Amino acid sequence: MEVTKRPLQEDETDRQELSLPQKKYYRQRAHSNPIADHDFDYPSCPEAYDWSTLYPDVTNAKSNIYNKRVEMLDIGCGYGGLLVTLSPMFPDSMILGMEIRVKVSQYVIERIKALRANQPNCYNNIACIRTNAIKYLPNFFKKGQIKKMFFLYPDPHFKKSKHKWRIINDTTLSEYAYVLAEEALVYTVTDVKDLHEWMVQHFSEHGLFKRVQDDDLKDDPVVDKLYESSEEGKKVTRNNGDKFLAVFMRIKDSDL
Amino acid sequence: MTFCLAVSEKAVVVSSIDVDKCYVYSLDSGNVKNLTESLGEAYKNIPINNRDLQKACASFSADGKLFAYNPNKGKLLSIWNTTDWTLVENKTLAKHATNIVFTPKTNVIIVGDKKGDVYAFEELPVRILGHSSMILDICISDNEKYIVTCDNDEKVRVSHYPNGKNIVHYMMGHEAYVSGICLLNNFILSGSGDSTLRLWDFDNGDLLDKLTLQTAIQSVIEIGDLAAIQLYNSKEVHIVKTEKKENKWNIKNIKTIQLENNVLDLAVYSNQLWILTGKSVHKYTIDANNEIILKIEDVEMSHTFETLSNLVKSFVCMENTNLMVFLYNKMIDKQKRIEQNVNNGNPPVLQHPKRLKTA
Ligand SMILES: C[S@@+](CC[C@H](N)C(=O)[O-])C[C@H]1O[C@@H](n2cnc3c(N)ncnc32)[C@H](O)[C@@H]1O
């Protein structure tokens, strides 16, 4: 028997959401310091992690994700809207949300649990962990493992003294480049122009990324979903905010 | 380590960042000079820094012509000409240095700092790479194509040099801060607060072997085909080598040197291993078979050891600004928290393969 997945219909989505965890119980202070030391539970190396605790189907020989590894990352996934959207679009890919805030990540974990319970055989390819993406990517992933990476509405950290907290900076970009496969894509969206320019500048100057031109994005089914899948995206729409998109490709080191 | 030892063909340097003294002992003349005294009036007038965590660093260039160290005050990189021991230049660092090395062929000074950044000091400082926690050790491959760094976050990393933004490998597996690394042929040997030494394949980043010592490892230094290992708060230095057995590479502990006092730092020049303890400085050499380490009890050297020993005895160590003590205590606290969590019935999701030693 083949395990199949069927995307939810619009009206179904609404109905499902009723039994889902309510966000108001999972609110938390907007920013936690990503540089401070917290106790996170993380594997000492990728081999030490048991992915079946997050994705029980990786050990199910009949599943689309049998024996696979995570290849898409939503960094700072917030309440998980993008994960839920991507799940039926990429039924064969394991997608992981990484979120640093405890309550927010708990919400996403409960949300996925509820979705799986309501829709057997669906949403088995998405999961969320509470972690600091700035510190622990190499603990979870091997070199070149990731094919798509998402940064939707990352925290802007407006003050100059807090720029070092930005999730895109010289140091983190090298680490992202390490876990990304060549030709893998990084999608960024923000409503803050200054942050958009900062991201474009840092990716462009890094040397291992090149910007993907808008023309080349027309056929990418993901792009349309980036603006409004996530909770932050919906909020920006409600407030009539701007949305700046930039997509980058991981390229080879031209000097080698 | 708030004390530091560095050796060249012609000089031995003992430095203490807490009392802000950096003594050069000339092996030719037997003269002693305190470099910190020659940093000028302006420097003298800055009050001593006894608040920040510091790690004394010092290094000679491969040709022995240059020397660099970090004095106590003002986040300086102090560079000296060793022919006549005159100051070449004081450069200002962005953050406190945690490691200073020279590239082996081109004599470029490489500095790692508390923020996790690594800079190369040519005309202007160039940021080579960054970690997300403080750098604890740096090695440059002989061909200067790679830079190996380790940090307070359990990571060992190989990057291209000079383009350190391109990471070749992360070598993951340590379960506490990685205090030291060295290059042994085509291997990387790393030592950590988790009490293990690990041997990694330079080319593919694979773990080849792991050796558990009795306590946290404080530093690792290569000496020919061997490596010398300093432990945390210990009177022992272990000498290890790599060995191929049944097609598998292993780390083998071939000798333990027992000292009378706690070991504070190690330095290597050619086939000589120098050991700084709380009371003195000792010198060992390795013979051609790479096996035996002999203690040098040379009569001719007695003046050297006596002088160095008197200098060392004037040093003071402040526990509260000692970076390595801080890292060790932090690790122990974290283990206690995890243990408590487990006892409270919140087992970690992950299986921690090994409880770390707490003593
Ligand atoms: C403005 S929210 C956007 C959330 C989501 N992507 C969306 O579009 O709705 C940014 C999120 O990134 C998370 N975050 C910030 N730094 C992080 C880090 N170092 N690791 C993981 N998550 C982080 C924050 O907790 C926050 O939930």
Side-chain angles (χ1 to χ4, degrees), chain A:
Chain A
M1 187 192 80
E2 258 229 80
V3 182
T4 55
K5 260 179 225 131
R6 174 180 66 94
L8 286 177
Q9 304 300 312
E10 284 279 339
D11 56 339
E12 276 181 317
T13 321
D14 284 338
R15 244 185 299 131
Q16 299 298 344
E17 298 282 343
L18 289 180
S19 59
L20 292 179
Q22 286 186 273
K23 236 168 60 180
K24 63 179 174 197
Y25 298 124
Y26 294 87
R27 292 209 199 283
Q28 205 183 349
R29 192 163 63 92
H31 305 306
S32 44
N33 176 355
I35 297 166
D37 269 327
H38 302 279
D39 286 339
F40 289 100
D41 219 355
Y42 54 87
S44 62
C45 57
E47 294 80 6
Y49 200 69
D50 181 1
W51 290 99
S52 70
T53 56
L54 296 180
Y55 304 88
D57 267 11
V58 283
T59 57
N60 172 1
K62 289 177 185 143
S63 156
N64 306 19
I65 59 164
Y66 178 57
N67 256 341
K68 289 198 173 158
R69 41 182 207 176
V70 171
E71 54 181 40
M72 296 192 197
L73 288 182
D74 184 4
I75 309 271
C77 67
Y79 292 95
L82 180 70
L83 295 171
V84 175
T85 304
L86 293 177
S87 174
M89 292 174 71
F90 299 96
D92 299 338
S93 300
M94 280 162 69
I95 309 167
L96 183 69
M98 303 182 107
E99 173 52 54
I100 199 167
R101 287 185 288 169
V102 188
K103 287 191 182 156
V104 176
S105 62
Q106 272 166 4
Y107 171 86
V108 182
I109 291 164
E110 292 302 318
R111 181 179 182 180
I112 294 172
K113 211 196 257 172
L115 286 168
R116 286 180 185 171
N118 290 341
Q119 292 229 304
N121 298 330
C122 292
Y123 300 106
N124 290 328
N125 61 334
I126 56 172
C128 173
I129 50 174
R130 180 199 173 216
T131 199
N132 183 349
I134 286 183
K135 271 184 185 268
Y136 299 115
L137 289 187
N139 293 76
F140 288 97
F141 312 110
K142 304 212 53 121
K143 185 178 185 178
Q145 173 174 345
I146 304 299
K147 309 275 169 58
K148 286 186 198 297
M149 201 181 245
F150 301 92
F151 295 90
L152 299 195
Y153 307 95
D155 295 328
H157 296 297
F158 289 106
K159 277 200 227 134
K160 194 140 199 237
S161 62
K162 293 282 155 60
H163 281 179
K164 59 173 190 250
W165 285 16
R166 285 183 168 173
I167 201 146
I168 304 288
N169 63 46
D170 272 344
T171 298
T172 57
L173 278 184
S174 292
E175 210 151 277
Y176 302 150
Y178 172 80
V179 298
L180 287 165
E182 270 169 29
E183 299 194 6
L185 296 177
V186 184
Y187 301 84
T188 69
V189 182
T190 176
D191 54 328
V192 179
K193 186 145 187 262
D194 172 55
L195 178 63
H196 170 70
E197 283 161 3
W198 162 284
M199 294 196 287
V200 169
Q201 184 200 342
H202 279 79
F203 271 104
S204 309
E205 288 174 0
H206 184 273
L208 295 177
F209 295 95
K210 85 168 187 218
R211 180 140 188 208
V212 180
Q213 294 311 311
D214 290 348
D215 267 0
D216 298 326
L217 293 174
K218 276 198 225 114
D219 301 326
D220 187 334
V222 169
V223 171
D224 267 353
K225 308 284 180 194
L226 298 177
Y227 300 101
E228 279 199 32
S229 299
S230 72
E231 287 63 22
E232 195 64 28
K234 292 193 176 100
K235 196 165 109 193
V236 176
T237 306
R238 280 199 302 276
N239 299 338
N240 288 320
D242 291 327
K243 289 179 181 176
F244 303 97
L245 168 82
V247 181
F248 304 91
M249 182 186 279
R250 164 73 159 94
I251 54 170
K252 265 205 181 85
D253 189 343
S254 56
D255 291 339
L256 294 180

Side-chain angles (χ1 to χ4, degrees), chain B residues 9-64:
Chain B
E9 188 192 350
K10 298 204 171 98
V12 178
V13 177
V14 286
S15 136
S16 161
I17 202 158
D18 287 347
V19 294
D20 201 16
K21 297 220 159 79
C22 184
Y23 292 113
V24 182
Y25 174 87
S26 161
L27 288 166
D28 291 338
S29 68
N31 290 341
V32 175
K33 175 174 179 162
N34 178 5
L35 299 185
T36 308
E37 233 145 61
S38 314
L39 290 174
E41 276 310 304
Y43 183 85
K44 246 181 226 158
N45 292 334
I46 311 174
I48 195 136
N49 178 353
N50 50 19
R51 289 165 291 117
D52 293 331
L53 288 171
Q54 300 225 50
K55 184 165 174 263
C57 316
S59 181
F60 282 96
S61 58
D63 60 10

